[in-house]
Short mmCIF file of all heavy atoms in Angstrom, two decimals:
data_model
loop_
_atom_site.label_atom_id
_atom_site.label_comp_id
_atom_site.label_asym_id
_atom_site.label_seq_id
_atom_site.Cartn_x
_atom_site.Cartn_y
_atom_site.Cartn_z
N CYS N 48 -16.59 -24.21 3.49
CA CYS N 48 -16.65 -25.43 2.70
C CYS N 48 -18.02 -25.57 2.02
O CYS N 48 -18.10 -25.79 0.79
CB CYS N 48 -16.37 -26.64 3.59
SG CYS N 48 -16.65 -28.24 2.81
N LEU N 49 -19.09 -25.46 2.78
CA LEU N 49 -20.43 -25.63 2.23
C LEU N 49 -20.77 -24.54 1.21
O LEU N 49 -21.38 -24.81 0.17
CB LEU N 49 -21.46 -25.65 3.36
CG LEU N 49 -21.36 -26.83 4.34
CD1 LEU N 49 -22.32 -26.64 5.50
CD2 LEU N 49 -21.65 -28.15 3.62
N ASP N 50 -20.35 -23.31 1.50
CA ASP N 50 -20.61 -22.22 0.56
C ASP N 50 -19.92 -22.47 -0.78
O ASP N 50 -20.46 -22.14 -1.84
CB ASP N 50 -20.13 -20.89 1.14
CG ASP N 50 -21.01 -20.39 2.28
OD1 ASP N 50 -22.14 -20.90 2.42
OD2 ASP N 50 -20.55 -19.51 3.05
N SER N 51 -18.72 -23.04 -0.72
CA SER N 51 -17.99 -23.29 -1.97
C SER N 51 -18.72 -24.29 -2.86
O SER N 51 -18.54 -24.29 -4.08
CB SER N 51 -16.57 -23.80 -1.66
OG SER N 51 -16.56 -25.17 -1.28
N VAL N 52 -19.55 -25.14 -2.26
CA VAL N 52 -20.34 -26.11 -3.03
C VAL N 52 -21.66 -25.51 -3.48
O VAL N 52 -22.02 -25.55 -4.67
CB VAL N 52 -20.60 -27.38 -2.19
CG1 VAL N 52 -21.50 -28.34 -2.96
CG2 VAL N 52 -19.30 -28.05 -1.80
N LEU N 53 -22.38 -24.92 -2.55
CA LEU N 53 -23.74 -24.46 -2.84
C LEU N 53 -23.76 -23.21 -3.71
O LEU N 53 -24.78 -22.91 -4.34
CB LEU N 53 -24.48 -24.21 -1.53
CG LEU N 53 -24.61 -25.45 -0.63
CD1 LEU N 53 -25.24 -25.08 0.71
CD2 LEU N 53 -25.43 -26.53 -1.32
N GLU N 54 -22.65 -22.47 -3.78
CA GLU N 54 -22.58 -21.28 -4.62
C GLU N 54 -21.98 -21.56 -5.99
O GLU N 54 -21.73 -20.63 -6.76
CB GLU N 54 -21.79 -20.19 -3.90
CG GLU N 54 -22.49 -19.67 -2.64
CD GLU N 54 -21.66 -18.66 -1.87
OE1 GLU N 54 -20.56 -18.30 -2.36
OE2 GLU N 54 -22.10 -18.23 -0.79
N GLN N 55 -21.76 -22.82 -6.32
CA GLN N 55 -21.28 -23.17 -7.65
C GLN N 55 -22.30 -22.78 -8.71
O GLN N 55 -23.51 -22.86 -8.48
CB GLN N 55 -21.02 -24.68 -7.73
CG GLN N 55 -19.84 -25.19 -6.92
CD GLN N 55 -18.52 -24.96 -7.61
OE1 GLN N 55 -18.36 -25.21 -8.80
NE2 GLN N 55 -17.55 -24.46 -6.85
N SER N 56 -21.81 -22.37 -9.87
CA SER N 56 -22.73 -22.04 -10.97
C SER N 56 -23.48 -23.28 -11.45
O SER N 56 -24.61 -23.18 -11.93
CB SER N 56 -21.95 -21.42 -12.13
OG SER N 56 -20.95 -22.31 -12.60
N TYR N 57 -22.87 -24.45 -11.31
CA TYR N 57 -23.52 -25.71 -11.65
C TYR N 57 -24.30 -26.18 -10.43
O TYR N 57 -23.72 -26.41 -9.36
CB TYR N 57 -22.47 -26.76 -12.05
CG TYR N 57 -23.06 -28.02 -12.62
CD1 TYR N 57 -23.29 -28.15 -13.98
CD2 TYR N 57 -23.39 -29.09 -11.80
CE1 TYR N 57 -23.83 -29.30 -14.52
CE2 TYR N 57 -23.92 -30.26 -12.33
CZ TYR N 57 -24.15 -30.36 -13.68
OH TYR N 57 -24.68 -31.50 -14.22
N ARG N 58 -25.61 -26.35 -10.55
CA ARG N 58 -26.46 -26.54 -9.38
C ARG N 58 -27.11 -27.92 -9.28
O ARG N 58 -27.84 -28.19 -8.33
CB ARG N 58 -27.55 -25.46 -9.36
CG ARG N 58 -26.98 -24.03 -9.35
CD ARG N 58 -28.07 -23.00 -9.22
NE ARG N 58 -28.84 -23.15 -8.00
CZ ARG N 58 -28.44 -22.72 -6.80
NH1 ARG N 58 -27.26 -22.15 -6.66
NH2 ARG N 58 -29.22 -22.88 -5.75
N ASP N 59 -26.84 -28.79 -10.23
CA ASP N 59 -27.46 -30.11 -10.22
C ASP N 59 -26.68 -31.04 -9.29
O ASP N 59 -25.89 -31.88 -9.74
CB ASP N 59 -27.50 -30.67 -11.65
CG ASP N 59 -28.31 -31.95 -11.74
OD1 ASP N 59 -29.06 -32.26 -10.79
OD2 ASP N 59 -28.19 -32.65 -12.77
N LEU N 60 -26.91 -30.89 -8.01
CA LEU N 60 -26.12 -31.62 -7.02
C LEU N 60 -26.92 -31.82 -5.74
O LEU N 60 -27.95 -31.17 -5.51
CB LEU N 60 -24.83 -30.84 -6.70
CG LEU N 60 -25.00 -29.43 -6.10
CD1 LEU N 60 -24.96 -29.46 -4.57
CD2 LEU N 60 -23.91 -28.50 -6.61
N GLU N 61 -26.42 -32.73 -4.93
CA GLU N 61 -26.91 -32.88 -3.57
C GLU N 61 -25.70 -33.00 -2.65
O GLU N 61 -24.64 -33.49 -3.05
CB GLU N 61 -27.80 -34.13 -3.44
CG GLU N 61 -27.07 -35.44 -3.67
CD GLU N 61 -27.97 -36.65 -3.50
OE1 GLU N 61 -29.18 -36.47 -3.22
OE2 GLU N 61 -27.47 -37.79 -3.64
N VAL N 62 -25.86 -32.52 -1.43
CA VAL N 62 -24.81 -32.61 -0.41
C VAL N 62 -25.28 -33.56 0.67
O VAL N 62 -26.34 -33.36 1.27
CB VAL N 62 -24.49 -31.23 0.19
CG1 VAL N 62 -23.47 -31.37 1.32
CG2 VAL N 62 -23.97 -30.28 -0.88
N ILE N 63 -24.50 -34.62 0.90
CA ILE N 63 -24.76 -35.53 2.01
C ILE N 63 -23.77 -35.18 3.10
O ILE N 63 -22.59 -35.54 3.04
CB ILE N 63 -24.59 -37.01 1.59
CG1 ILE N 63 -25.32 -37.30 0.27
CG2 ILE N 63 -25.03 -37.92 2.70
CD1 ILE N 63 -26.81 -37.11 0.33
N ALA N 64 -24.20 -34.40 4.07
CA ALA N 64 -23.34 -33.94 5.16
C ALA N 64 -23.48 -34.88 6.35
O ALA N 64 -24.59 -35.12 6.84
CB ALA N 64 -23.71 -32.52 5.56
N VAL N 65 -22.35 -35.42 6.80
CA VAL N 65 -22.35 -36.42 7.86
C VAL N 65 -21.72 -35.82 9.11
O VAL N 65 -20.52 -35.54 9.14
CB VAL N 65 -21.59 -37.69 7.44
CG1 VAL N 65 -21.67 -38.74 8.53
CG2 VAL N 65 -22.13 -38.22 6.12
N ASP N 66 -22.55 -35.60 10.12
CA ASP N 66 -22.05 -35.11 11.42
C ASP N 66 -21.53 -36.32 12.20
O ASP N 66 -22.31 -37.10 12.75
CB ASP N 66 -23.19 -34.42 12.17
CG ASP N 66 -22.81 -34.06 13.61
OD1 ASP N 66 -21.61 -34.04 13.92
OD2 ASP N 66 -23.74 -33.82 14.42
N ASP N 67 -20.20 -36.43 12.26
CA ASP N 67 -19.58 -37.59 12.92
C ASP N 67 -19.50 -37.35 14.43
O ASP N 67 -18.44 -37.40 15.04
CB ASP N 67 -18.18 -37.81 12.32
CG ASP N 67 -17.57 -39.14 12.76
OD1 ASP N 67 -18.31 -40.00 13.26
OD2 ASP N 67 -16.34 -39.27 12.62
N ARG N 68 -20.66 -37.11 15.00
CA ARG N 68 -20.79 -36.85 16.45
C ARG N 68 -19.78 -35.79 16.88
O ARG N 68 -19.05 -35.92 17.87
CB ARG N 68 -20.56 -38.14 17.23
CG ARG N 68 -21.00 -38.09 18.69
CD ARG N 68 -22.50 -37.94 18.83
NE ARG N 68 -22.93 -37.98 20.21
CZ ARG N 68 -24.20 -37.81 20.62
NH1 ARG N 68 -25.15 -37.62 19.71
NH2 ARG N 68 -24.53 -37.84 21.89
N SER N 69 -19.75 -34.68 16.11
CA SER N 69 -18.79 -33.62 16.39
C SER N 69 -19.16 -32.90 17.69
O SER N 69 -20.33 -32.51 17.88
CB SER N 69 -18.76 -32.62 15.23
OG SER N 69 -17.76 -31.65 15.42
N PRO N 70 -18.19 -32.70 18.59
CA PRO N 70 -18.52 -32.08 19.89
C PRO N 70 -18.68 -30.57 19.82
O PRO N 70 -19.05 -29.94 20.82
CB PRO N 70 -17.31 -32.46 20.75
CG PRO N 70 -16.18 -32.57 19.77
CD PRO N 70 -16.78 -33.12 18.51
N ASP N 71 -18.39 -29.95 18.65
CA ASP N 71 -18.51 -28.49 18.54
C ASP N 71 -19.83 -28.13 17.86
O ASP N 71 -20.81 -28.87 17.96
CB ASP N 71 -17.31 -27.92 17.80
CG ASP N 71 -17.13 -28.51 16.40
OD1 ASP N 71 -18.02 -29.28 15.98
OD2 ASP N 71 -16.12 -28.22 15.74
N GLY N 72 -19.87 -27.03 17.15
CA GLY N 72 -21.11 -26.57 16.55
C GLY N 72 -21.37 -27.06 15.15
O GLY N 72 -22.25 -26.53 14.45
N CYS N 73 -20.65 -28.09 14.69
CA CYS N 73 -20.83 -28.56 13.31
C CYS N 73 -22.26 -29.01 13.04
O CYS N 73 -22.84 -28.69 11.99
CB CYS N 73 -19.87 -29.71 13.03
SG CYS N 73 -18.16 -29.21 12.76
N GLY N 74 -22.85 -29.77 13.95
CA GLY N 74 -24.20 -30.28 13.73
C GLY N 74 -25.20 -29.17 13.53
O GLY N 74 -26.06 -29.24 12.63
N ALA N 75 -25.12 -28.13 14.34
CA ALA N 75 -26.06 -27.01 14.22
C ALA N 75 -25.86 -26.26 12.91
O ALA N 75 -26.83 -25.83 12.26
CB ALA N 75 -25.88 -26.06 15.41
N ILE N 76 -24.61 -26.10 12.49
CA ILE N 76 -24.33 -25.43 11.22
C ILE N 76 -24.93 -26.22 10.06
O ILE N 76 -25.55 -25.66 9.15
CB ILE N 76 -22.82 -25.23 11.04
CG1 ILE N 76 -22.27 -24.25 12.07
CG2 ILE N 76 -22.50 -24.76 9.62
CD1 ILE N 76 -20.76 -24.14 12.09
N LEU N 77 -24.77 -27.54 10.10
CA LEU N 77 -25.33 -28.37 9.03
C LEU N 77 -26.85 -28.27 8.99
O LEU N 77 -27.45 -28.17 7.90
CB LEU N 77 -24.90 -29.83 9.23
CG LEU N 77 -23.40 -30.13 9.11
CD1 LEU N 77 -23.14 -31.61 9.41
CD2 LEU N 77 -22.89 -29.77 7.73
N ASP N 78 -27.49 -28.30 10.14
CA ASP N 78 -28.95 -28.18 10.18
C ASP N 78 -29.40 -26.83 9.64
O ASP N 78 -30.44 -26.73 8.96
CB ASP N 78 -29.45 -28.37 11.61
CG ASP N 78 -29.30 -29.81 12.09
OD1 ASP N 78 -29.18 -30.71 11.23
OD2 ASP N 78 -29.28 -30.03 13.32
N GLU N 79 -28.64 -25.80 9.94
CA GLU N 79 -28.97 -24.46 9.44
C GLU N 79 -28.94 -24.43 7.91
O GLU N 79 -29.85 -23.89 7.27
CB GLU N 79 -27.96 -23.46 10.00
CG GLU N 79 -28.05 -22.06 9.42
CD GLU N 79 -26.85 -21.20 9.78
OE1 GLU N 79 -26.23 -21.43 10.85
OE2 GLU N 79 -26.51 -20.33 8.97
N TYR N 80 -27.92 -25.02 7.31
CA TYR N 80 -27.80 -25.04 5.85
C TYR N 80 -28.90 -25.91 5.23
O TYR N 80 -29.46 -25.57 4.19
CB TYR N 80 -26.42 -25.54 5.43
CG TYR N 80 -25.38 -24.44 5.36
CD1 TYR N 80 -24.81 -23.93 6.51
CD2 TYR N 80 -24.99 -23.91 4.14
CE1 TYR N 80 -23.87 -22.91 6.47
CE2 TYR N 80 -24.05 -22.89 4.07
CZ TYR N 80 -23.49 -22.39 5.23
OH TYR N 80 -22.56 -21.39 5.17
N ALA N 81 -29.22 -27.04 5.87
CA ALA N 81 -30.27 -27.91 5.35
C ALA N 81 -31.62 -27.23 5.37
O ALA N 81 -32.46 -27.46 4.48
CB ALA N 81 -30.32 -29.21 6.14
N ALA N 82 -31.85 -26.37 6.37
CA ALA N 82 -33.13 -25.69 6.50
C ALA N 82 -33.36 -24.69 5.37
O ALA N 82 -34.50 -24.41 5.00
CB ALA N 82 -33.21 -25.00 7.85
N ARG N 83 -32.26 -24.14 4.83
CA ARG N 83 -32.44 -23.11 3.81
C ARG N 83 -32.09 -23.58 2.39
O ARG N 83 -32.26 -22.83 1.44
CB ARG N 83 -31.64 -21.87 4.17
CG ARG N 83 -30.14 -22.00 4.15
CD ARG N 83 -29.51 -20.62 4.36
NE ARG N 83 -28.08 -20.63 4.17
CZ ARG N 83 -27.21 -20.35 5.12
NH1 ARG N 83 -27.63 -20.08 6.35
NH2 ARG N 83 -25.92 -20.34 4.87
N ASP N 84 -31.56 -24.80 2.24
CA ASP N 84 -31.23 -25.30 0.92
C ASP N 84 -31.62 -26.77 0.85
O ASP N 84 -31.03 -27.62 1.53
CB ASP N 84 -29.74 -25.14 0.63
CG ASP N 84 -29.40 -25.31 -0.85
OD1 ASP N 84 -29.98 -26.21 -1.48
OD2 ASP N 84 -28.57 -24.55 -1.38
N ALA N 85 -32.62 -27.07 0.02
CA ALA N 85 -33.15 -28.43 -0.06
C ALA N 85 -32.14 -29.43 -0.61
O ALA N 85 -32.35 -30.65 -0.51
CB ALA N 85 -34.41 -28.44 -0.94
N ARG N 86 -31.05 -28.95 -1.18
CA ARG N 86 -30.05 -29.86 -1.72
C ARG N 86 -29.16 -30.46 -0.63
O ARG N 86 -28.35 -31.34 -0.91
CB ARG N 86 -29.18 -29.13 -2.74
CG ARG N 86 -29.94 -28.66 -3.97
CD ARG N 86 -29.04 -27.84 -4.88
NE ARG N 86 -28.57 -26.61 -4.23
CZ ARG N 86 -27.63 -25.82 -4.71
NH1 ARG N 86 -27.03 -26.14 -5.86
NH2 ARG N 86 -27.27 -24.72 -4.06
N VAL N 87 -29.29 -29.98 0.59
CA VAL N 87 -28.44 -30.45 1.70
C VAL N 87 -29.22 -31.43 2.57
O VAL N 87 -30.32 -31.13 3.04
CB VAL N 87 -27.95 -29.27 2.57
CG1 VAL N 87 -27.08 -29.78 3.71
CG2 VAL N 87 -27.18 -28.26 1.71
N ARG N 88 -28.65 -32.62 2.76
CA ARG N 88 -29.20 -33.61 3.69
C ARG N 88 -28.17 -33.86 4.77
O ARG N 88 -26.98 -33.97 4.50
CB ARG N 88 -29.52 -34.91 2.96
CG ARG N 88 -30.55 -34.76 1.85
CD ARG N 88 -30.76 -36.09 1.13
NE ARG N 88 -31.25 -37.11 2.06
CZ ARG N 88 -31.37 -38.40 1.73
NH1 ARG N 88 -31.01 -38.80 0.52
NH2 ARG N 88 -31.83 -39.28 2.60
N VAL N 89 -28.64 -33.98 6.01
CA VAL N 89 -27.73 -34.12 7.14
C VAL N 89 -27.97 -35.45 7.83
O VAL N 89 -29.11 -35.83 8.13
CB VAL N 89 -27.91 -32.97 8.15
CG1 VAL N 89 -26.93 -33.13 9.32
CG2 VAL N 89 -27.72 -31.61 7.46
#
Side-chain angles (χ1 to χ4, degrees):
C48 171
L49 295 173
D50 288 344
S51 77
V52 176
L53 300 175
E54 294 176 4
Q55 291 280 315
S56 59
Y57 189 90
R58 302 185 60 80
D59 188 14
L60 61 93
E61 65 178 2
V62 176
I63 312 297
V65 183
D66 172 18
D67 190 16
R68 195 66 176 178
S69 185
D71 58 7
C73 284
I76 293 172
L77 295 177
D78 290 340
E79 172 193 331
Y80 273 77
R83 68 173 188 243
D84 195 319
R86 296 175 297 169
V87 180
R88 299 177 60 188
V89 181

